[in-house]
Amino acid sequence: MTLATQTVVKTLGDYAYQAIQKHFKKTLKWEKTVKKDEDPEALHQMRVGMRRLRTVVSRFGFVVNLPKAVTDRNIGKIARRLGNLRDLDVLKESVVKNFQPHLPPEELKHLEKAFNAIDKQREQALTDVKATLKHERYKSLKTSLDHWLEEPRYQESAPLSIDLALPDLLLPEVSYFFLHPGWQFGMPLGSNSGVSTSTSLLRSYPKGMTSTHVEESLNSNHEVLHSLRKQAKRLRYQMELFTEFYGETYAEHLIEVKNIQDILGEIHDSDVLEDWLVDVFGEDFTEKLPTFTSLLVDKRHQLWQQWAPIQRRYTQLDTRNQLHLAILNPISKQIEDN
């Protein structure tokens, strides 16, 4: 006799619990190594764990009933301290890998001054991280999450089937992503712009855009682009929670979102690098580091050339509809339709 197997219906509560548990454990896994400052990768992984935990806590707040210490704000404060230290590591790594090998001897001497400055900043940032991991805010967060994972408490929406809720979970994040002002970077605004709203929001980018033009554009828009990058990251984290419910098309969109995050991240890193050079050398750093400056401008130009076609594509109606449709059609619905 063959017993009928019953499919286990996963609920919103199940997924919220699994995600919180996963990212909390990842954070704890790297804590000791971060405190000892033994491995930059440990710092990176702990920071990512905190960021993902923050996304889950904020996006599933209507599903779970978490302790007072477990809030978006508290997790964000801890993650920022980790981020400050990690950013300095990334900054120095970028200079050593991408710029230092190409500099003449006189500029390398100036670079030693910059490295000394970054080492001092890192010492302070490491002290701040260690203090943060000893602070009552962090201890309370850990204790509260431990207790909650042992005896989780939920809100009324927790029993809702995940299959039923998938589009409503993902589409609001997609809306924030598509409606972000960063997509309008460099575009004419308003109804008198001459852009046909029936076909595309896109303006036509001039071919052969000079490095100077790119510099001017990036300098005036780096904050909004960085904000778009953070929204892409939030969308990516949200989409990654539900990959098992979708197929190849969804996976391809997820890869594209990650690519957007990466390119905008590199643009932001170049802004941070320039700000750092100004802090160390003053506004005339270009005179002391002309080769370095030229390499930085070239790098930004290359990033612009990568970003422009992505912006074109994602300000077209077809591209946006494709992502919407992918989210509206999880595998379970495709099976039902067939």
Side-chain angles (χ1 to χ4, degrees):
M1 175 175 145
T2 304
L3 296 176
T5 57
Q6 183 177 1
T7 303
V8 177
V9 178
K10 293 185 177 180
T11 66
L12 281 177
D14 294 332
Y15 255 79
Y17 183 94
Q18 291 172 11
I20 290 172
Q21 181 185 54
K22 176 182 177 180
H23 300 311
F24 179 52
K25 284 187 174 182
K26 180 175 183 177
T27 299
L28 295 183
K29 175 183 177 181
W30 300 103
E31 180 183 332
K32 289 183 179 179
T33 309
V34 169
K35 286 180 177 178
K36 294 178 182 178
D37 195 27
E38 293 177 339
D39 183 4
E41 182 62 21
L43 175 63
H44 171 61
Q45 293 298 331
M46 186 174 184
R47 180 194 192 187
V48 170
M50 290 295 294
R51 283 179 163 180
R52 290 178 182 265
L53 179 62
R54 184 184 184 188
T55 297
V56 173
V57 167
S58 63
R59 296 308 186 261
F60 284 90
F62 70 100
V63 177
V64 293
N65 189 359
L66 293 169
K68 292 182 179 180
V70 186
T71 64
D72 179 289
R73 182 179 180 183
N74 282 344
I75 297 172
K77 287 181 178 180
I78 298 166
R80 277 191 291 274
R81 286 296 178 89
L82 296 171
N84 291 339
L85 180 58
R86 174 62 181 169
D87 288 345
L88 290 170
D89 287 344
V90 171
L91 178 62
K92 186 171 183 178
E93 181 183 351
S94 173
V95 174
V96 171
K97 179 180 178 181
N98 300 317
F99 297 91
Q100 188 176 17
H102 309 291
L103 299 181
E106 59 270 21
E107 291 191 38
L108 289 174
K109 293 179 181 178
H110 289 302
L111 199 60
E112 284 302 315
K113 176 183 177 181
F115 283 154
N116 290 335
I118 202 171
D119 288 342
K120 290 181 180 179
Q121 293 175 26
R122 194 185 186 283
E123 288 178 8
Q124 182 58 54
L126 179 60
T127 299
D128 291 342
V129 165
K130 291 180 177 180
T132 296
L133 298 182
K134 293 179 180 179
H135 194 276
E136 183 60 32
R137 178 184 293 111
Y138 182 67
K139 292 180 179 180
S140 179
L141 174 69
K142 290 200 301 181
T143 302
S144 298
L145 275 176
D146 274 331
H147 290 163
W148 186 86
L149 288 170
E150 290 177 3
E151 298 182 7
R153 299 177 62 188
Y154 300 97
Q155 299 195 44
E156 289 79 2
S157 57
L160 189 67
S161 167
I162 193 70
D163 289 336
L164 186 63
L166 277 173
D168 295 314
L169 280 170
L170 289 165
L171 288 176
E173 207 69 65
V174 173
S175 295
Y176 290 132
F177 179 63
F178 282 150
L179 296 176
H180 193 284
W183 290 115
Q184 306 309 312
F185 158 59
M187 292 185 179
L189 299 176
S191 58
N192 295 325
S193 63
V195 178
S196 173
T197 57
S198 63
T199 57
S200 172
L201 299 174
L202 175 71
R203 76 163 197 175
S204 178
Y205 284 92
K207 293 183 179 180
M209 193 174 190
T210 67
S211 297
T212 301
H213 291 153
V214 172
E215 277 294 289
E216 292 173 353
S217 295
L218 292 178
N219 285 339
S220 62
N221 291 277
H222 66 276
E223 287 299 331
V224 71
L225 288 179
H226 181 46
S227 177
L228 176 58
R229 178 207 174 218
K230 290 191 287 187
Q231 182 54 46
K233 177 183 62 182
R234 285 189 284 267
L235 175 59
R236 172 194 167 193
Y237 288 172
Q238 188 85 329
M239 290 180 69
E240 285 178 340
L241 289 174
F242 307 113
T243 52
E244 68 182 270
F245 295 98
Y246 290 95
E248 184 177 345
T249 301
Y250 182 91
E252 290 172 353
H253 283 289
L254 179 55
I255 291 172
E256 289 185 344
V257 171
K258 183 182 183 301
N259 185 46
I260 290 168
Q261 177 191 339
D262 289 343
I263 291 175
L264 293 180
E266 289 193 62
I267 291 175
H268 176 65
D269 289 345
S270 73
D271 293 325
V272 171
L273 176 56
E274 181 179 348
D275 290 341
W276 174 63
L277 291 172
V278 171
D279 287 341
V280 175
F281 298 105
E283 296 289 345
D284 62 343
F285 79 88
T286 57
E287 298 177 8
K288 296 178 180 178
L289 298 169
T291 306
F292 196 122
T293 301
S294 178
L295 290 170
L296 181 57
V297 171
D298 288 344
K299 177 64 175 176
R300 284 182 170 176
H301 195 199
Q302 293 169 14
L303 291 170
W304 169 262
Q305 290 175 322
Q306 294 178 55
W307 167 247
I310 293 174
Q311 187 184 28
R312 291 189 184 98
R313 183 161 180 249
Y314 274 81
T315 49
Q316 292 176 349
L317 186 59
D318 285 347
T319 302
R320 297 183 173 210
N321 284 344
Q322 287 169 14
L323 179 53
H324 287 137
L325 289 173
I327 289 172
L328 287 169
N329 288 277
I331 293 175
S332 57
K333 185 178 187 302
Q334 295 173 30
I335 294 173
E336 290 173 7
D337 290 344
N338 291 332

